[in-house]
Amino acid sequence: MTPITQTLPIVTTPELDFDQNAASTFGHSLASTYAQATPFPHIVIDDFLPQDLIASICAHFPVEPTNNEMLYERGYKGQHKRQVSPNECDPYLKTVFNAFNSAPMLQFLEKLTGIEGLIPDPYFTGGGLHETKKGGFLGVHSDFRLNKKLNIERRLNAIIYLNQDWQEAYGGNLELWDVGMKTCLKKVLPIYNRCVIFNTDKDSNHGHPEPLTTPEHITRRSIALYYYTAATVVADPAQRNKTHYKPRPKDRLSLKYYLNKLIKKKN
């Protein structure tokens, strides 16, 4: 599927304004494309934010460490990755993320996906601003389904990439895998102002599992937004509040090889 080029109806002058009716129309116009995508419902939209808005977001991206940010050095579960909460950012970024959690954004997403009653997460659990350094990666996984704090069920991911002049040689492709984890069916290069939106369920297998080959001063930056609906049944937290990482065929081979070496060494 070729990326669509279309811009979210947000006006940034003299201040941030987001038209709800226009957002609904925008989402509705792309609904069939979203529903028909494989390996699971998704869409890739280029030039997603107005140019002045995304440029300002990039200019305000926190370079220095913020309070309570998360650093991941967990191998396949996330390596050389930084996660920053918008609630710890400057007032400008807080205003922008409030717009991403607003009624017009929810209307756009509901009309796009056909999922009614979407709920944003004001705490940005697991989301916000993400940054991965050279050599970093995130294994293929399906996301946690239950937001324990709010007791709501995760339904959608929206990722907006902030990477100017990103080269294909750097890697960092978002990979979408089939249910059986046998084949990568789509790769999405994380280029500037590209947005990927997709359903999150137990079979929405995705990640960027190949280590980045960027120069030291270039990082892979993105906005990660998660949306929920009220849980219709009592959820089992033991089963639904964890991210499920899934090895690719070559990862399974590597793991088997490592375990065999370990067994031989012990013997």
Side-chain angles (χ1 to χ4, degrees):
M1 182 177 66
T2 303
I4 291 163
T5 301
Q6 203 161 338
T7 302
L8 203 62
I10 300 180
V11 178
T12 56
T13 54
E15 58 187 27
L16 201 63
D17 185 32
F18 199 166
D19 187 280
Q20 185 166 324
N21 291 329
S24 295
T25 301
F26 181 26
H28 181 74
S29 71
L30 301 176
S32 60
T33 301
Y34 185 90
Q36 294 169 14
T38 56
F40 42 83
H42 74 276
I43 197 166
V44 181
I45 307 173
D46 286 346
D47 293 338
F48 183 68
L49 297 178
Q51 287 298 319
D52 55 347
L53 177 57
I54 191 166
S56 295
I57 292 171
C58 290
H60 285 261
F61 195 101
V63 176
E64 298 299 323
T66 61
N67 292 331
N68 303 316
E69 66 181 45
M70 301 289 290
L71 299 175
Y72 293 87
E73 299 293 345
R74 302 177 183 175
Y76 197 71
K77 295 183 178 182
Q79 188 72 6
H80 303 341
K81 179 184 174 184
R82 175 189 181 212
Q83 176 187 313
V84 179
S85 170
N87 295 323
E88 301 294 343
C89 292
D90 64 26
Y92 175 80
L93 286 178
K94 288 178 182 177
T95 299
V96 170
F97 276 87
N98 285 340
F100 291 143
N101 276 359
S102 69
M105 187 69 172
L106 299 180
Q107 285 290 300
F108 159 65
L109 292 169
E110 288 183 1
K111 297 301 182 184
L112 172 69
T113 66
I115 301 173
E116 297 291 333
L118 288 175
I119 302 169
D121 175 15
Y123 301 100
F124 300 100
T125 304
L129 295 168
H130 290 178
E131 182 176 33
T132 305
K133 295 181 179 180
K134 178 181 180 180
F137 58 94
L138 178 63
V140 179
H141 60 282
S142 58
D143 289 309
F144 69 87
R145 302 290 306 288
L146 178 69
N147 183 312
K148 292 190 293 182
K149 186 176 182 69
L150 301 176
N151 194 32
I152 50 180
E153 186 175 356
R154 185 163 165 187
R155 304 298 300 277
L156 290 177
N157 281 12
I159 303 171
I160 306 169
Y161 294 112
L162 307 175
N163 308 305
Q164 292 175 289
D165 303 318
W166 190 264
Q167 298 180 21
E168 193 164 353
Y170 296 162
N173 285 287
L174 176 68
E175 298 186 3
L176 308 183
W177 283 69
D178 64 355
V179 173
M181 283 300 299
K182 294 180 179 179
T183 307
C184 174
L185 295 178
K186 185 161 189 176
K187 293 184 179 182
V188 182
L189 200 66
I191 63 173
Y192 185 68
N193 209 4
R194 170 171 284 175
C195 178
V196 185
I197 301 168
F198 56 92
N199 283 14
T200 55
D201 55 38
K202 64 183 179 63
D203 295 322
S204 59
N205 303 320
H206 65 282
H208 58 99
E210 294 298 327
L212 296 180
T213 58
T214 55
E216 294 289 347
H217 67 285
I218 294 177
T219 58
R220 183 185 189 273
R221 293 178 171 181
S222 62
I223 292 169
L225 304 164
Y226 307 146
Y227 299 92
Y228 301 79
T229 55
T232 55
V233 295
V234 177
D236 177 2
Q239 297 298 319
R240 306 184 68 191
N241 67 355
K242 295 180 180 179
T243 299
H244 297 281
Y245 289 89
K246 305 178 181 183
R248 300 167 292 170
K250 70 176 184 178
D251 297 322
R252 289 194 288 270
L253 290 172
S254 298
L255 181 59
K256 184 177 180 181
Y257 175 72
Y258 173 75
L259 291 175
N260 286 337
K261 284 187 68 176
L262 198 60
I263 291 169
K264 288 180 181 178
K265 188 175 182 180
K266 286 185 177 179
N267 293 336

